[in-house]
């Protein structure tokens, strides 16, 4: 390989990794259950029942969450919140730019307790939960079906 091709390959590797480098998903609410975040794939796997509060940032802007899902065999209730973690002087605001897929069906009960996003929801697949129990605010488009098994008691 010539020096030119090595330089181009190195530049492409840096440019590709920079695309995802700033996107950061975090759990900010002191989760009462287990979870795993894969920053490179922009996914969250919930591994035990509990309450989870996630947001995604990309530098100073809102970030993207590609998938939030519950691991097979989780018994108990999963309560999911997607909103910005509170900071000094901040009100609760959108927790992500886009959320591409949510699947809480593997929990005994999967609740979307709060969802606040600035962009689109469901680009990849349906949004699946047993209940929507709190604020459900999508500023962009809902691109796939929202599949609620039991009840909607929250404000949509």
């Amino acid at each position: 390989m010539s020096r030119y091709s090595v330089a181009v390959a190195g530049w492409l590797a840096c440019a590709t990794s920079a695309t995802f480098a700033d996107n950061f998903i975090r759990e900010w609410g002191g989760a009462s259950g287990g979870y795993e975040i894969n920053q490179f794939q922009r996914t969250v796997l919930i591994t035990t029942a509990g309450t989870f509060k996630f947001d995604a940032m990309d530098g100073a802007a809102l970030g993207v969450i590609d998938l939030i899902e519950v691991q097979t065999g989780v018994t108990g209730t999963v309560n999911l919140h997607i909103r910005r973690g509170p900071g000094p002087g901040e009100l609760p605001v959108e927790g992500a730019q886009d959320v591409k897929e949510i699947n809480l069906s593997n929990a005994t009960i999967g609740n979307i307790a709060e969802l606040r996003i600035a962009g689109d929801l469901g680009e990849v697949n349906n949004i699946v939960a047993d209940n929507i129990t709190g604020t459900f605010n999508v500023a962009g488009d809902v691109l796939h079906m929202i599949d609620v098994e039991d009840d909607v008691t929250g404000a949509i």
Side-chain angles (χ1 to χ4, degrees):
M1 194 172 352
S2 72
R3 278 187 268 165
Y4 176 73
S5 11
V6 170
V8 170
W11 178 83
L12 285 173
C14 289
T16 303
S17 65
T19 304
F20 295 102
D22 290 339
N23 195 84
F24 184 77
I25 300 168
R26 69 177 176 145
E27 200 292 329
W28 56 266
S32 61
Y35 64 93
E36 298 170 8
I37 296 174
N38 182 319
Q39 298 293 352
F40 184 72
Q41 294 183 350
R42 302 187 304 196
T43 61
V44 176
L45 177 65
I46 296 172
T47 58
T48 62
T51 297
F52 306 88
K53 297 178 180 180
F54 295 104
D55 66 11
M57 297 299 295
D58 189 351
L62 292 170
V64 174
I65 300 172
D66 284 346
L67 171 65
I68 297 175
E69 68 179 331
V70 175
Q71 182 174 300
T72 302
V74 170
T75 56
T77 300
V78 168
N79 294 302
L80 175 65
H81 299 255
I82 300 173
R83 74 173 182 108
R84 175 98 44 98
E90 292 182 22
L91 296 175
V93 295
E94 289 80 7
Q97 179 61 36
D98 300 313
V99 177
K100 297 183 178 182
E101 181 178 359
I102 298 172
N103 187 343
L104 305 181
S105 66
N106 287 327
T108 306
I109 299 172
N111 297 323
I112 296 177
E114 183 175 18
L115 182 117
R116 296 171 187 257
I117 62 173
D120 297 336
L121 177 66
E123 179 183 330
V124 172
N125 210 338
N126 294 344
I127 305 305
V128 181
D130 291 302
N131 303 291
I132 296 175
T133 59
T135 300
F136 194 93
N137 185 5
V138 178
D141 295 324
V142 176
L143 301 170
H144 275 86
M145 182 174 78
I146 300 172
D147 182 1
V148 178
E149 297 292 323
D150 291 329
D151 202 5
V152 176
T153 58
I156 296 179

